[in-house]
Structure formats: structure tokens, C-alpha cells
């Protein structure tokens, strides 16, 4: 009977300029680049209703705040998941 040997599962990587880079890291960098491009392309002012007052802000500022809040929430969820 053959014995099963358990090998640790390594994440998929690509070799870039002689360094191993995780595919997940490349995907995250591409998404960040697309988000920055999208924010930079939207510079018009928009009206935003905050419960009672309506404020006028540049769309890039609104998108940046939304991105930062999403990153913070995602980081907190990932940290909480890693603790388990």
C-alpha cells in the first residue's frame, strides 16, 4: 500500500524579472490601476444628498473616498477571517 505524503499547497506564481510573484498580487495591482484610471477620468462635479443637506463635490473625490472605505472594510474582513 502506498503512503500518502502531504505536501504544502503553494499559491500559483509567475516569474517576473527573476522574482516569483503571486498571480493574486498581479490581479490586485491591475484592479488598483484600473480604479485609479477610472477615478482620474471622472472629474466633473456631482450633487450628493447626505440625509438632509445636498453637497456638490468633484466625482473623483467621491470615488476616492468610496475606494478607501471599501479597502478598509475589505482589510478588516480579511484580518478577521485570518484570525479564525
Amino acid at each position: 500500500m502506498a503512503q500518502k505524503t502531504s505536501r504544502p499547497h503553494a499559491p500559483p506564481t509567475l516569474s517576473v524579472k527573476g522574482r516569483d510573484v503571486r498571480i493574486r498580487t498581479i490581479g490586485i495591482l491591475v484592479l488598483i490601476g484600473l480604479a485609479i484610471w477610472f477615478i482620474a477620468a471622472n472629474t466633473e462635479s456631482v450633487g450628493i444628498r447626505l440625509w438632509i443637506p445636498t453637497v456638490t463635490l468633484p466625482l473623483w473625490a467621491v470615488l476616492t473616498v468610496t475606494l478607501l472605505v471599501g479597502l478598509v472594510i475589505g482589510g478588516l474582513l480579511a484580518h478577521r477571517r485570518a484570525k479564525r
Side-chain angles (χ1 to χ4, degrees):
M1 225 170 145
Q3 290 183 337
K4 291 184 180 180
T5 58
S6 62
R7 292 184 301 160
H9 177 68
T13 60
L14 291 175
S15 184
V16 178
K17 293 185 180 179
R19 300 174 81 182
D20 286 338
V21 180
R22 291 173 60 177
I23 293 177
R24 176 178 168 182
T25 303
I26 294 171
I28 289 171
L29 291 175
V30 168
L31 287 177
I32 289 173
L34 288 173
I36 291 171
W37 172 78
F38 184 75
I39 289 170
N42 290 287
T43 57
E44 296 181 17
S45 293
V46 293
I48 299 173
R49 183 154 186 210
L50 304 170
W51 291 285
I52 296 174
T54 300
V55 296
T56 302
L57 294 169
L59 184 55
W60 68 265
V62 176
L63 292 171
T64 301
V65 169
T66 304
L67 176 65
L68 293 175
V69 169
L71 288 173
V72 168
I73 290 172
L76 290 173
L77 291 175
H79 179 70
R80 183 176 176 191
R81 181 176 286 180
K83 278 183 137 181
R84 288 186 188 185

